[in-house]
Amino acid sequence: MNGHGFIAVHCGAGYHSDSLKKEYQKTCYIACRKAAEILKNGGNAVEAVEKAIIELENSPLTNAGYGSNLSWDGLVECDASIMNGQTLHFGACGAVSNVWNPISLAKHLCIKQCDNLSLGRVPPCILTGQGARLWAERMGIEIVENRKMISARSFRNYKHCKRKLKRYSLQNDIKFSPLDTVGAICVDSNGIVASGASSGGVSLKHEGRVGQAASFGSGVWAVMSRDRKKPSVAACTSGCGEHLIRTQLAKNTAESLLEASPILGLDKCFKEHFLESPFLWDVPERLGGTLALRFDSEIGEGELLWGHTTKTMCIGYMSTENERPKCIISYLPPKVEPGQKAVVSGQPFKVPIQPCPVLQWEIKTTANCNGSL
Amino acid sequence: MNGHGFIAVHCGAGYHSDSLKKEYQKTCYIACRKAAEILKNGGNAVEAVEKAIIELENSPLTNAGYGSNLSWDGLVECDASIMNGQTLHFGACGAVSNVWNPISLAKHLCIKQCDNLSLGRVPPCILTGQGARLWAERMGIEIVENRKMISARSFRNYKHCKRKLKRYSLQNDIKFSPLDTVGAICVDSNGIVASGASSGGVSLKHEGRVGQAASFGSGVWAVMSRDRKKPSVAACTSGCGEHLIRTQLAKNTAESLLEASPILGLDKCFKEHFLESPFLWDVPERLGGTLALRFDSEIGEGELLWGHTTKTMCIGYMSTENERPKCIISYLPPKVEPGQKAVVSGQPFKVPIQPCPVLQWEIKTTANCNGSL
């Protein structure tokens, strides 16, 4: 096989300590490499996004899958979602336990959107809690004992938070809520875009809480140009789940890249739809980040963009044409207070395109329509 | 007290059988009356919406609360949400069992958005499954045995569907998925708008499935004008949950009413954002309905609008100035196939306004900011 594509990942917008910087970058590096392999072997954008996020989930450093923040009762409950820009299907699981890779469950839900069920029933796009776990089990997705998903680091953090809470029950210290939701966006050989996100949620969250990584329009967005007149766009977000839900940052980010200058579009989006959003009128610190791309399938060229109002954001990206991924930590300028301003950057990229002769999403089909053309 | 306001409710866009028509209208009638009482006694829009939906949930006719469709395993799992147009806060519960009135749980979550939690934690806006039930229990919301939520009608329907399924395992018969999510929208004395929705979900749904009634932007929307230059809008939807999530029909509906002519805006919205939406490219029958309002608080005048692509939609509405609610069943024109075209209608209404001197959502406050000024 000789597939092409571009993959970008992030392991959170938040605060990455200097001592762990290299580890975070390495995690992004491996995720990019694994996803690029999938693309080179002819895998599609959805599969590459899944693979990248599996690597991020498996790392004990990130707040996703293994090593997720623990809930109030000391449990791991994960959110994850995936959106296919070609079919516009969305699959998400929320507050799910025991599933080793929540992103695989989200992918399955996304793919199954094409199925015809008996009695006119529609396949679910969002499954939560125990029902989500049962569905995963039936689909043959790996199920583990929940305590196996707790890393030493997340357990230490949990104990620390609980102790703090006991001592200063009204203290407000945002540092105890690491905002390291992970995400990935991708363009494949056929110019199909996809986006995925996975999160362990906020530390000490209430059982059953669902965050942006399982909410439509908030954690992920991916729309492929229907007529090739507009570019395709994809985005994934990180930050405080409730605030990202209210501002639907993924959708707004992706749409902002359709403006003449995507970087100016993204800057404006952060200002209007996040920092000055009426939906965050009562939020003193607006903490969020986004990783996004815009791709023109006519010429096989695109732009990767990222922006965040948090202290740092750790991202990695590579095209299948590159030998190795580039992994960086993006910083807010030194004098800027987190939550008050956004820093926005971008990079161009290329993908040799093998355009699909017919965009399958223009015709109703019972076949697997998740990008395998 | 001498409060004013306007309330509108619906008990579903779907197919209301002739034999039960009067019963459906009566249910809407009572819901409007109860909500109007709340408004007259000085209650705010959120409280009135909650009260109206409690009445609709308590009816065994509707697919919400008591009498909800049963899941594949014969359980009742409800979705509900509420949005406060003044604070822009949203509270939702998904796939929740044992809670007699899911809308009350959603309201509590919406109100609690104002709380400051220790360690910078943010109050959850969406809770699902067992966690949602536990939260309800702690808040003193009525908890019942789950079998008490199963009505004779919903149990008969469940048995019928299961039998059908056994006999014709691949049959597609949309009639077995009654789309009777309920909803309510309201304007109160202060010109505050709110919207709520409640649903038992589709028949034979998978455990843990979350539909539009618990998804931000899809089941409810309410935005109060910030500067009084634009009108306030509110909307709630009914139909196939997954399709309403993908099209974010509540948000799109409400925003369409900001056009010069709200009725033309709503008509265009149904065409562009639902019937011809790229998000429903693979859906042969696009079944949905929406109840919406636009209100100009400068002059105390507004318009109620509704539209649906389903055979029927049953709605009721009244102003506190009216003696009794008007309850009607809206029909698609006889020759129009359901799911292919929308019928859109409207009615003007008035509310004597006592404008709030300061819109509380423009200032950060720790006080209860859910409309009680």
Side-chain angles (χ1 to χ4, degrees):
Chain A
M1 302 294 266
N2 205 359
H4 300 280
F6 176 81
I7 180 84
V9 305
H10 76 85
C11 61
Y15 173 73
H16 298 89
S17 75
D18 282 339
S19 60
L20 290 170
K21 240 164 64 176
K22 285 232 154 11
E23 292 292 312
Y24 279 112
Q25 282 171 286
K26 199 175 141 196
T27 307
C28 286
Y29 186 96
I30 297 168
C32 286
R33 286 289 280 260
K34 296 271 186 175
E37 241 168 73
I38 298 275
L39 292 167
K40 282 181 195 164
N41 289 325
N44 64 39
V46 169
E47 288 157 357
V49 160
E50 181 200 18
K51 186 66 184 169
I53 294 184
I54 283 176
E55 291 303 318
L56 300 172
E57 283 176 342
N58 291 352
S59 159
L61 282 177
T62 62
N63 177 24
Y66 173 64
S68 283
N69 285 333
L70 303 194
S71 73
W72 184 259
D73 297 320
L75 302 171
V76 166
E77 290 195 344
C78 300
D79 297 338
S81 61
I82 225 163
M83 184 165 174
N84 179 334
Q86 185 194 30
T87 63
L88 299 182
H89 288 154
F90 169 76
C93 55
V96 66
S97 298
N98 303 85
V99 175
W100 182 255
N101 287 117
I103 195 69
S104 296
L105 172 50
K107 190 194 91 169
H108 267 77
L109 283 161
C110 184
I111 290 178
K112 289 278 178 186
Q113 295 290 300
C114 293
D115 285 6
N116 284 317
L117 302 185
S118 49
L119 293 182
R121 286 173 307 139
V122 171
C125 69
I126 308 174
L127 283 183
T128 58
Q130 218 190 344
R133 185 182 60 69
L134 284 172
W135 202 87
E137 214 167 325
R138 262 178 238 142
M139 295 298 138
I141 292 168
E142 191 180 358
I143 302 290
V144 297
E145 270 179 69
N146 214 26
R147 64 178 171 80
K148 285 207 178 146
M149 300 197 65
I150 301 174
S151 70
R153 177 176 161 273
S154 64
F155 190 68
R156 263 199 320 272
N157 184 49
Y158 172 72
K159 285 282 183 202
H160 181 69
C161 288
K162 279 271 193 172
R163 259 198 317 270
K164 272 270 178 201
L165 206 64
K166 228 169 169 178
R167 249 185 270 164
Y168 318 101
S169 69
L170 278 166
Q171 187 196 348
N172 276 292
D173 188 341
I174 209 82
K175 278 181 200 142
F176 295 113
S177 297
L179 308 168
D180 29 11
T181 298
V182 304
I185 47 179
C186 183
V187 186
D188 67 21
S189 287
N190 293 309
I192 297 169
V193 292
S195 174
S198 181
S199 178
V202 280
S203 240
L204 304 187
K205 68 180 179 181
H206 195 284
E207 198 188 332
R209 178 259 191 189
V210 167
Q212 97 278 6
S215 291
F216 188 72
S218 307
V220 300
W221 197 253
V223 173
M224 188 172 159
S225 168
R226 219 176 164 176
D227 51 11
R228 287 167 190 256
K229 281 178 192 151
K230 278 200 284 187
S232 301
V233 287
C236 54
T237 63
S238 184
C240 172
E242 280 72 13
H243 304 159
L244 296 172
I245 289 174
R246 280 200 236 156
T247 53
Q248 301 215 305
L249 191 61
K251 182 171 186 268
N252 282 322
T253 292
E255 286 174 355
S256 77
L257 303 194
L258 292 171
E259 300 207 6
S261 156
I263 204 157
L264 291 180
L266 181 57
D267 195 61
K268 198 172 137 205
C269 171
F270 260 105
K271 195 171 143 61
E272 287 176 12
H273 292 290
F274 197 67
L275 288 164
E276 294 173 8
S277 168
F279 289 88
L280 300 184
W281 66 277
D282 57 347
V283 176
E285 242 184 341
R286 290 117 205 246
L287 297 170
T290 183
L291 181 68
L293 65 80
R294 153 178 154 150
F295 183 71
D296 182 337
S297 58
E298 280 292 298
I299 51 171
E301 287 180 9
E303 277 171 84
L304 174 71
L305 295 114
W306 59 92
H308 54 99
T309 65
T310 54
K311 195 89 194 154
T312 56
M313 182 165 184
C314 180
I315 67 161
Y317 55 92
M318 80 182 286
S319 155
T320 45
E321 315 302 292
N322 301 139
E323 275 222 357
R324 54 180 65 89
K326 194 165 174 187
C327 297
I328 58 160
I329 294 191
S330 169
Y331 292 88
L332 267 194
K335 281 183 187 158
V336 175
E337 277 298 301
Q340 311 300 331
K341 272 196 180 159
V343 60
V344 169
S345 317
Q347 279 288 332
F349 68 86
K350 285 188 186 188
V351 175
I353 273 292
Q354 298 151 1
C356 17
V358 179
L359 283 181
Q360 242 175 307
W361 67 319
E362 290 181 90
I363 43 164
K364 167 83 186 129
T365 167
T366 52
N368 175 352
C369 52
N370 236 58
S372 55
L373 296 170
Chain B
M1 302 294 267
N2 204 0
H4 301 279
F6 176 81
I7 180 84
V9 305
H10 76 84
C11 61
Y15 173 74
H16 298 87
S17 75
D18 283 339
S19 60
L20 291 171
K21 241 163 63 176
K22 284 231 153 15
E23 292 292 313
Y24 279 112
Q25 282 171 288
K26 199 174 143 197
T27 307
C28 286
Y29 186 96
I30 297 169
C32 286
R33 285 291 278 258
K34 296 271 185 175
E37 242 167 72
I38 298 276
L39 292 168
K40 282 180 196 165
N41 289 325
N44 63 40
V46 169
E47 288 157 358
V49 160
E50 181 200 17
K51 185 66 185 169
I53 294 185
I54 283 176
E55 290 303 318
L56 300 173
E57 284 176 343
N58 290 353
S59 160
L61 281 177
T62 62
N63 176 24
Y66 173 63
S68 283
N69 285 333
L70 302 195
S71 73
W72 183 260
D73 297 321
L75 302 171
V76 165
E77 289 194 345
C78 300
D79 296 338
S81 61
I82 224 163
M83 185 165 173
N84 179 332
Q86 185 195 28
T87 63
L88 300 183
H89 288 155
F90 169 77
C93 56
V96 65
S97 297
N98 303 86
V99 175
W100 181 255
N101 287 118
I103 195 69
S104 295
L105 172 50
K107 189 194 91 168
H108 267 77
L109 282 161
C110 183
I111 289 177
K112 290 277 178 185
Q113 295 290 301
C114 293
D115 285 6
N116 283 318
L117 302 185
S118 50
L119 293 182
R121 286 172 308 138
V122 171
C125 68
I126 309 174
L127 283 184
T128 57
Q130 217 190 346
R133 185 181 59 71
L134 285 171
W135 202 87
E137 213 166 326
R138 262 178 238 141
M139 295 298 138
I141 292 169
E142 190 180 358
I143 302 290
V144 298
E145 269 181 70
N146 214 25
R147 63 178 173 78
K148 284 206 180 148
M149 300 196 67
I150 301 174
S151 69
R153 176 176 162 273
S154 63
F155 189 68
R156 262 198 321 271
N157 184 48
Y158 172 70
K159 284 282 185 203
H160 181 69
C161 288
K162 279 271 195 172
R163 257 198 318 271
K164 273 268 177 203
L165 205 64
K166 225 169 169 179
R167 246 184 271 164
Y168 319 100
S169 69
L170 278 166
Q171 187 196 350
N172 276 293
D173 188 341
I174 210 82
K175 277 181 202 142
F176 295 111
S177 296
L179 307 167
D180 31 10
T181 299
V182 304
I185 47 179
C186 182
V187 185
D188 67 20
S189 286
N190 293 310
I192 297 170
V193 292
S195 173
S198 182
S199 176
V202 279
S203 239
L204 304 187
K205 68 181 178 178
H206 194 284
E207 197 189 333
R209 178 259 194 190
V210 167
Q212 96 280 5
S215 292
F216 188 72
S218 306
V220 300
W221 197 253
V223 173
M224 188 172 159
S225 168
R226 221 177 162 175
D227 51 12
R228 287 168 191 258
K229 281 179 191 151
K230 278 200 285 189
S232 301
V233 287
C236 55
T237 62
S238 184
C240 173
E242 280 72 12
H243 304 160
L244 296 172
I245 289 174
R246 281 200 235 157
T247 53
Q248 300 215 306
L249 191 62
K251 182 170 185 270
N252 283 322
T253 293
E255 285 175 354
S256 77
L257 304 193
L258 292 171
E259 300 207 5
S261 156
I263 203 156
L264 290 179
L266 182 55
D267 195 59
K268 199 172 135 203
C269 171
F270 259 106
K271 196 170 143 61
E272 287 176 12
H273 291 291
F274 197 68
L275 289 164
E276 293 172 10
S277 168
F279 289 88
L280 300 183
W281 65 276
D282 57 347
V283 176
E285 242 184 340
R286 289 117 206 249
L287 296 170
T290 184
L291 180 68
L293 65 79
R294 153 177 154 150
F295 183 71
D296 183 338
S297 57
E298 282 294 297
I299 52 172
E301 287 181 8
E303 279 171 82
L304 174 71
L305 295 113
W306 59 91
H308 54 97
T309 65
T310 53
K311 196 88 195 155
T312 56
M313 183 165 183
C314 180
I315 67 162
Y317 55 93
M318 80 182 286
S319 155
T320 45
E321 315 303 291
N322 301 140
E323 276 223 356
R324 55 179 65 89
K326 194 165 173 188
C327 297
I328 58 159
I329 293 190
S330 168
Y331 291 89
L332 266 193
K335 280 186 190 157
V336 174
E337 278 297 304
Q340 312 299 332
K341 273 195 181 160
V343 60
V344 169
S345 318
Q347 278 289 332
F349 67 86
K350 285 188 187 189
V351 175
I353 274 292
Q354 298 151 0
C356 19
V358 178
L359 282 181
Q360 244 175 306
W361 67 318
E362 292 182 88
I363 42 164
K364 167 82 186 131
T365 168
T366 53
N368 175 353
C369 52
N370 237 58
S372 55
L373 294 171

